[in-house]
Amino acid sequence: MRVPVEISNDGSDPVAGEPVSFSAPALVGARVEPLRVCRADGVELLFDLRDAQGRSKRLGQLAANDLLVVPAECAAKSSSTLFVYAGNDRAWAVPDFLPVEG
């Protein structure tokens, strides 16, 4: 499964690496371990997944109130698209995650 996520920047300055969080309701029930987040050009990004209590989540299934946290890159007064991939049961768990405080 591939779900597009559009990030908008209404500001007058570009955004580079700012953490942005969002839910992925289309992926509820998908296994967490094979999740991947990529830019439109195919570059894979580090991400974090937080449960409803704000704790990092590494195993199990994606729940409706889980939030993905990714480093946003977006030009001023523009938008960019990321893609969240799920459902590849042959994919290994990602080896590293985006360090996010909280």
Side-chain angles (χ1 to χ4, degrees), residues 4-17:
V5 176
E6 185 173 325
I7 296 173
S8 296
N9 178 6
D10 296 331
S12 56
D13 294 321
V15 174

Side-chain angles (χ1 to χ4, degrees), residues 15-60:
V15 174
E18 295 290 324
V20 172
S21 59
F22 57 89
S23 63
L27 299 177
V28 168
R31 298 283 313 153
V32 167
E33 296 85 344
L35 285 177
R36 300 292 189 271
V37 179
C38 296
R39 296 187 323 205
D41 63 2
V43 173
E44 193 170 331
L45 300 175
L46 292 179
F47 66 90
D48 195 20
L49 180 63
R50 297 290 173 130
D51 66 14
Q53 290 74 40
R55 297 178 301 230
S56 290
K57 184 174 182 177
R58 303 292 183 249
L59 303 170

Side-chain angles (χ1 to χ4, degrees), residues 37-97:
V37 179
C38 296
R39 296 187 323 205
D41 63 2
V43 173
E44 193 170 331
L45 300 175
L46 292 179
F47 66 90
D48 195 20
L49 180 63
R50 297 290 173 130
D51 66 14
Q53 290 74 40
R55 297 178 301 230
S56 290
K57 184 174 182 177
R58 303 292 183 249
L59 303 170
Q61 293 181 318
L62 195 63
N65 51 6
D66 289 344
L67 293 175
L68 281 157
V69 182
V70 299
E73 296 179 4
C74 194
K77 303 208 182 290
S78 181
S79 64
S80 61
T81 302
L82 299 176
F83 295 95
V84 181
Y85 292 87
N88 180 357
D89 292 333
R90 292 186 287 175
W92 294 4
V94 294
D96 202 7
F97 292 86

